[in-house]
Amino acid sequence: SYPMGGMLLGGYAQTQLKLKDISWEKSENMGFGLDFGFFGGRLTGSLDLYKRKTTGILMNVLVPYEFPLAPYTANVGSLENKGIELSLNYQTRFGDWTIGAGGNFAYNKNVILDLGGQSYIGDQIRNAVGQPFKTYYLYKADGLFQSKEEADAWVAKYGTPFGSRPQAGDIRYVDVNGDGKINGADRIYTKPIEPSYTFAMNFNVGWRGFDLSAMFNGAAGAARYYSSEVFGEFAGDTGHPSTVWRDAWSSTNPTGTMPRIFRKGTARHNDANSTFWLQKTDYLRLKNLQLGYTIPQRLTQQLGVSSVRVFYSAENLFTLDHMRGNIDPEATSARLSSYPLLRTHSFGLNVSF
């Protein structure tokens, strides 16, 4: 609306640019596959190698400030994926025993080739030419200051680039480009959000009426940056620090994994987006464990049923990881606002007539 002649008049203005030639993205695929079996079919597997180049990816094109319209969407991005997928399965039987095992492994490497003339898009999480899709771009941390003298020497050289003065127990940052300053130019590309490696394994064994099975899954090569809400802050009655702060640095705990305890807003340098807060999300999880027993048919037939099986099942029984704090490595929210993964135990009965 515009005031004109003492009246408020309505009007229209074009704010978006719509291209008529937008299309689906295109991909070029090249691959090699092999299926195999040995020992009379007891061992089987497959191997796949692939390379895929995707072009014409829809993305926002940044425009100069002089351009009268907002950034527009066009087919300008390109991305390359290449990798390997392997699966193996083994099953055998001898006497009253049945034994089986299987697994699959996948490795994928992706790299951004073009962003429509731009070198990168985004800030803390970037899509940048030559880097994997959604890679963290952060200040490089170099542990914690172990003394006041260390912190003062750093300040004498670099000043207080984040607006607060570091002390013993605070995060030390690296002058990556060696220009004698700590600023945005000292940020580095680290790890992507998505894992490079994924894998799963399953095992099963049976003896007479008993059966036991287990399934594992995992991933490696990725990382997550979690916000201060995850670890909590010391902010009076409104703060809810997590138990991870029990291992905060102090003069009596110089090997602590967390910085010194500080009140919110008094150590902004510790809040900078840095590799210190980036966590590797590599993990191996026991996804399912099941133990069962099938009652012999000679007993169930007397009851008029063909089979009866009782079982115990557990989901997400344990996880091996290197996470700081009680964090699920599969969580996708930087605030951990996603629904948590549950560990469940159950007993069941299967009856077939």
Side-chain angles (χ1 to χ4, degrees):
S1 300
Y2 301 89
M4 185 177 299
M7 300 178 61
L8 191 63
L9 303 177
Y12 299 92
Q14 180 181 353
T15 59
Q16 301 287 337
L17 177 65
K18 181 180 179 181
L19 302 182
K20 296 181 179 180
D21 57 351
I22 285 180
S23 64
W24 294 103
E25 62 186 36
K26 300 177 181 179
S27 63
E28 300 174 3
N29 298 277
M30 180 173 60
F32 168 80
L34 175 67
D35 296 323
F36 54 87
F38 300 99
F39 311 118
R42 291 193 297 273
L43 175 64
T44 60
S46 64
L47 174 67
D48 291 285
L49 303 173
Y50 64 88
K51 181 178 180 181
R52 179 173 63 253
K53 180 180 180 181
T54 305
T55 58
I57 298 174
L58 283 172
M59 55 175 288
N60 286 333
V61 178
L62 298 182
V63 296
Y65 290 110
E66 297 80 9
F67 192 72
L69 305 179
Y72 59 93
T73 301
N75 298 97
V76 294
S78 63
L79 176 74
E80 181 182 80
N81 284 275
K82 55 184 177 182
I84 180 173
E85 296 177 352
L86 173 67
S87 67
L88 291 171
N89 288 281
Y90 180 78
Q91 195 76 29
T92 189
R93 182 184 185 97
F94 56 92
D96 294 328
W97 290 88
T98 59
I99 298 177
N104 60 72
F105 167 85
Y107 167 74
N108 179 76
K109 178 181 180 180
N110 70 71
V111 61
I112 295 174
L113 304 177
D114 187 25
L115 291 171
Q118 305 170 85
S119 58
Y120 68 88
I121 296 175
D123 187 27
Q124 178 180 330
I125 301 176
R126 282 192 174 184
N127 288 328
V129 175
Q131 297 293 330
F133 183 70
K134 288 189 176 181
T135 296
Y136 286 102
Y137 188 62
L138 307 168
Y139 287 99
K140 185 178 180 180
D142 182 26
L144 304 174
F145 293 114
Q146 293 299 312
S147 66
K148 180 179 183 299
E149 291 72 22
E150 281 188 15
D152 289 346
W154 190 92
V155 171
K157 186 174 183 179
Y158 300 112
T160 55
F162 301 104
S164 53
R165 187 183 182 92
Q167 302 178 24
D170 288 341
I171 301 171
R172 179 195 294 113
Y173 300 98
V174 178
D175 179 14
V176 175
N177 61 8
D179 64 354
K181 303 176 183 178
I182 300 293
N183 52 34
D186 293 304
R187 291 179 291 175
I188 60 172
Y189 290 101
T190 56
K191 285 184 173 289
I193 288 179
E194 298 299 328
S196 301
Y197 306 89
T198 56
F199 45 87
M201 299 171 287
N202 63 81
F203 306 93
N204 63 83
V205 60
W207 178 72
R208 296 185 179 178
F210 293 95
D211 62 88
L212 175 68
S213 64
M215 183 179 70
F216 297 82
N217 75 317
R224 286 280 175 178
Y225 186 97
Y226 297 101
S227 70
S228 57
E229 293 178 88
V230 174
F231 300 106
E233 298 174 310
F234 294 87
D237 294 338
T238 61
H240 299 281
S242 74
T243 56
V244 71
W245 287 101
R246 291 176 178 173
D247 195 29
W249 184 96
S250 68
S251 58
T252 58
N253 184 34
T255 60
T257 58
M258 295 290 285
R260 66 178 175 89
I261 293 176
F262 58 93
R263 186 173 178 82
K264 181 180 179 181
T266 62
R268 291 190 293 274
H269 48 275
N270 285 339
D271 295 327
N273 297 331
S274 74
T275 56
F276 185 88
W277 302 108
L278 188 69
Q279 299 199 58
K280 294 182 179 180
T281 53
D282 304 349
Y283 74 94
L284 175 65
R285 170 169 286 152
L286 177 54
K287 195 68 176 177
N288 176 264
L289 177 69
Q290 191 168 120
L291 174 64
Y293 177 69
T294 301
I295 300 175
Q297 283 191 337
R298 68 177 185 275
L299 301 178
T300 59
Q301 287 178 347
Q302 298 177 11
L303 303 175
V305 295
S306 60
S307 68
V308 176
R309 179 177 177 268
V310 294
F311 66 90
Y312 160 75
S313 179
E315 303 282 342
N316 307 312
L317 202 55
F318 71 82
T319 303
L320 301 177
D321 60 56
H322 300 286
M323 304 296 290
R324 183 190 301 152
N326 186 23
I327 299 176
D328 178 11
E330 289 188 278
T332 58
S333 169
R335 302 174 58 241
L336 287 189
S337 57
S338 54
Y339 196 78
L341 196 65
L342 300 179
R343 178 181 299 154
T344 61
H345 301 269
S346 58
F347 294 88
L349 177 68
N350 294 330
V351 179
S352 299
F353 295 91

